[in-house]
Amino acid sequence: MTVFNIQFAIEHFPEVLKGVPITLSIAAVSIIIGSVIGLGLALTRVYKVPFLQQLTIVYVSFIRGTPLLVQLYVFFYGVPELLDWVNKTFTTTWNADNISPMWYAFMVYSMNAAAYTTEIFRAAINSIAVGQMEACHSVGMTTWQGLRRVIFPQMFEMALPNMGNIFINLIKSTSLAFAVKVVEIMAISKMIANQGYNFLEMYSVATIIYWIICLLLELLFYYLEKNVGKHRRKTAAVAN
Amino acid sequence: MIKLNGIYKKFKDHEVLKGIDLKVKKGDVLTIIGPSGSGKTTFLRCINFLEKPDHGTIQIGEKLVIDAHKPSKRDILQLRRQTAMVFQNYNLFQNKTVLENITEGLIVSQKKKKSEAIQIAESLLKKVGLSEKRDEFPSSLSGGQQQRVGIARALALNPDVILFDEPTSALDPEMVGEVLTLMKEIAREGITMIIVTHEIDFAREVSNHVVFMEGGHIVEEGTPEEVILHPTKERTKQFLRRLNKEPEFVI
Amino acid sequence: MDSSIHEWGTLFQQVLSRLPLTLLMLVASLMVGLFLGTLIAVIRIRKIPVLHQLMAIFISFSRCTPLLVQLFLIYFGLPQLLSAFGIYINDVAPLIFAIATFSLHISAYLAEVIRSAYIAVGEDQLEACYSVGMTYSQALRRVILPQAFVLALPNMGNTIIELLKDTVLAFTIGVVDIMGQVRIIIGNNYGLGMFQVYVVISIVYWGTCAFIEVIIHQLEKHFKKGRINVAKS
């Protein structure tokens, strides 16, 4: 028996590649939705909104303190129960079986992304000098106008490197989406591997695919960081 | 015409402002001097409500009166649209160009058309001598240049009063001159200015109304001749003496 | 969902009784990972030729690919690879494979944590050691690494918590920990279903993470006593 059936690997490579769009879309959708929610949550903490602030703290602690896989299972088994309760109380006829696995994935991964992005947004906002907002107010802008035009642009730029890390982590974590029956890279690799015991070959294929995606993303974020924020080039004359 | 009555503020247990009354006429150049911790910066920041006083009233012009007990958001916004501030640390919008720093307020709060705003901004940049920097970002300007942009930003809004919060304190000595010169020019043009500063000579030369604050009170008030040259109160004399150490003997 | 407090109580008990295995995986992987990670960090710091580039590739691999892939590669793929050389490891317990994979995985992360802490301590300290006649390894042992340890503590804490969450994957290769026993737990509980079990499991993990965070925080406080700023800012 050959150690590594390279023929087999190459033959089935394209099939595994079919999982790449799913993986990318889960990560992309989640980071976008997650960032919007995350920004809102960050603001509740920056502005110390009573009750919402505490809720945010608990939410972030829970998401970051529990394994993603368990979160996926909680949703996967919880949503049908929730629908049953809704059906009983409001005499509706929602059917949990009609929910596509992708929806579960989008929900859980977005909630996950929200918890992580909120912390980087919060740190970024807190490190922007309070004078920036004061200057906005002093020229007669409302708080929201100041946030939108001056604070958020600076914040996004500061958060960019960490956003890159979060996105790459999201990509890796999509390998757990099989828990909610999503057919992505890992699920496909597993199916093919189990057919003929070609574990080494198929998981090597999966490894290479993830590795390449990761390296490409690192390159992408490297160039993004370089080109965004040309105005931040510091000279000795920067005001504090 | 700006009237402040009974401005009182406490930070935790420390009374920073113990009831300040002040009247400023149109065209006045008022300087507020005093030792650190006297509350002068806090007082200045109360005028455009960047600090919220605990008690007192602020009146700008004939109609706008704000009571510290129940300030409405709309009134505060209106107050900030009738005033402008020049900060100690310039506080230019880091993510906007020099030109955009000046046009921001015009477009967003005064709802001017972009073309009109740019015109105003360009003429002011010319006035402060920084036209060639219009597309640069603040991080590539020196402190003195940034502060001049800050002054242009304030002028552009055509406010009832410009508030200056120790405008030269953060500057290297060689750049203080260019900013003070600009401020003198503006004063000559009749713009109402309230300036918190340590530059006593500037206060003497340029202002027509001086206030000496200490310990949260106005200790002495009057013309520069009265307060700086011939102070009557002992604390004023002490403060000025500390600043102007007379040489022991002159050759 | 007609459940009583009693049933929830039993559920918690059942889940908690399987926690020790998870903690075992955590501590074992941490120990091995720390050892390997320190080695790798030293290789990278000293830029030992060939090894240093190899380690860079290893670190890239560990950080760029999902842990699940690494787990499957080692559990399913390694026996296949070694069997071609006549080495049969198919009877080794899944737990060993799990600990091995987790150790390798975090050794890469820990290597980076240690390396940046080392750099933060600064060349000056090393020069001071040399100037009193210490060898490199003496300097490391007595001055550099103790300081680096304190600096690394927060990041180390995060890595440990991530490792705890990572151990959740062990059941996919047959380790019978909390996750691996879910079906059995369900079988022993009449009223409560999958959803409830996983809620309890998440609370148990949440609590354990919080507990670890408290310990790390206490450690940080203890070691920070009296220091103003060890690292070059």
Side-chain angles (χ1 to χ4, degrees), chain A residues 6-183:
Chain A
I6 206 159
Q7 191 72 359
F8 189 86
I10 296 178
E11 219 178 283
H12 292 272
F13 203 95
E15 254 176 279
V16 180
L17 275 180
K18 288 208 201 120
V20 172
I22 312 256
T23 297
L24 290 176
S25 60
I26 293 178
V29 168
S30 307
I31 201 157
I32 293 174
I33 299 181
S35 297
V36 173
I37 300 176
L39 185 55
L41 294 178
L43 288 175
T44 67
R45 295 220 41 200
V46 169
Y47 282 102
K48 300 197 179 13
V49 180
F51 183 63
L52 283 181
Q53 183 192 204
Q54 283 80 358
L55 214 62
T56 303
I57 295 175
V58 172
Y59 173 77
V60 171
S61 170
F62 179 76
I63 299 284
R64 291 166 64 130
T66 54
L68 177 63
L69 189 58
V70 178
Q71 293 167 13
L72 284 165
Y73 282 131
V74 166
F75 253 76
F76 189 65
Y77 292 109
V79 170
E81 294 228 2
L82 182 68
L83 284 183
D84 279 344
W85 177 83
V86 168
N87 282 342
K88 260 196 270 190
T89 337
F90 300 110
T91 54
T92 43
T93 48
W94 299 108
N95 188 352
D97 294 331
N98 289 336
I99 302 177
S100 134
M102 286 298 272
W103 283 109
Y104 284 111
F106 287 147
M107 275 192 282
V108 180
Y109 285 94
S110 297
M111 287 179 63
N112 205 278
Y116 285 96
T117 54
T118 194
E119 290 301 286
I120 35 170
F121 287 151
R122 194 169 68 95
I125 292 181
N126 281 334
S127 66
I128 295 176
V130 71
Q132 291 289 293
M133 194 45 142
E134 286 189 349
C136 294
H137 282 147
S138 78
V139 299
M141 290 194 217
T142 62
T143 304
W144 179 245
Q145 285 169 332
L147 283 176
R148 216 171 28 94
R149 299 178 74 97
V150 175
I151 307 289
F152 287 165
Q154 294 184 41
M155 178 201 75
F156 280 123
E157 188 210 312
M158 272 195 225
L160 199 53
N162 285 318
M163 290 295 267
N165 286 335
I166 291 185
F167 191 64
I168 291 177
N169 282 332
L170 272 177
I171 297 271
K172 290 193 288 174
S173 65
T174 59
S175 60
L176 303 180
F178 67 84
V180 293
K181 311 275 192 266
V182 171
V183 181

Side-chain angles (χ1 to χ4, degrees), chain A residues 129-143 145 148-154 157 230-240, chain B residues 45 48 50-51 77 80-81 83-85 87 89-96 104-105 107-109 111 137-143 146 153 157:
Chain A
V130 71
Q132 291 289 293
M133 194 45 142
E134 286 189 349
C136 294
H137 282 147
S138 78
V139 299
M141 290 194 217
T142 62
T143 304
Q145 285 169 332
R148 216 171 28 94
R149 299 178 74 97
V150 175
I151 307 289
F152 287 165
Q154 294 184 41
E157 188 210 312
K230 283 189 270 226
H231 66 78
R232 285 239 144 227
R233 243 173 286 125
K234 291 190 177 172
T235 63
V238 169
N240 208 357
Chain B
R45 287 159 61 91
N48 69 345
L50 282 185
E51 299 285 352
L77 201 57
R80 288 170 177 171
R81 287 181 177 170
T83 59
M85 189 170 238
F87 296 87
N89 288 310
Y90 340 125
N91 284 342
L92 296 186
F93 303 129
Q94 295 291 315
N95 57 321
K96 308 265 175 190
E104 272 303 283
I107 297 174
V108 175
S109 43
K111 313 277 199 278
F137 286 95
S139 56
S140 59
L141 267 54
S142 73
Q146 290 188 59
R153 178 173 67 178
L157 299 164

Side-chain angles (χ1 to χ4, degrees), chain C residues 84-215:
Chain C
F85 297 105
I87 310 173
Y88 292 97
I89 56 172
N90 302 53
D91 286 336
V92 175
L95 183 64
I96 307 292
F97 280 103
I99 294 178
T101 312
F102 296 147
S103 306
L104 285 171
H105 182 79
I106 56 153
S107 67
Y109 287 88
L110 287 176
E112 289 301 275
V113 168
I114 295 172
R115 194 168 71 96
S116 40
Y118 174 87
I119 293 175
V121 172
E123 283 283 294
D124 306 342
Q125 292 288 296
L126 189 58
E127 287 180 356
C129 290
Y130 284 152
S131 73
V132 301
M134 290 194 213
T135 64
Y136 182 66
S137 62
Q138 283 172 329
L140 266 191
R141 230 181 351 108
R142 301 173 73 93
V143 176
I144 310 291
L145 286 182
Q147 291 187 47
F149 173 74
V150 176
L151 288 172
L153 217 40
N155 282 331
M156 204 73 91
N158 288 335
T159 311
I160 295 176
I161 290 186
E162 291 303 310
L163 180 59
L164 174 66
K165 295 193 287 173
D166 287 339
T167 57
V168 92
L169 297 179
F171 80 101
T172 60
I173 59 169
V175 173
V176 195
D177 64 342
I178 299 178
M179 298 292 282
Q181 299 245 359
V182 166
R183 301 259 162 223
I184 299 181
I185 294 174
I186 298 282
N188 290 339
N189 268 280
Y190 303 114
L192 305 176
M194 296 291 258
F195 170 64
Q196 289 82 344
V197 176
Y198 283 115
V199 167
V200 170
I201 292 178
S202 60
I203 293 177
V204 168
Y205 273 104
W206 194 9
T208 315
C209 278
F211 183 65
I212 295 178
E213 276 177 2
V214 167
I215 296 183

Side-chain angles (χ1 to χ4, degrees), chain C residues 146-147 149-151 153-154 213-228 230:
Chain C
Q147 291 187 47
F149 173 74
V150 176
L151 288 172
L153 217 40
E213 276 177 2
V214 167
I215 296 183
I216 300 286
H217 187 66
Q218 291 299 102
L219 278 175
E220 277 180 51
K221 270 200 347 214
H222 172 81
F223 283 108
K224 274 220 172 110
K225 268 203 288 247
R227 291 173 192 270
I228 306 168
V230 175

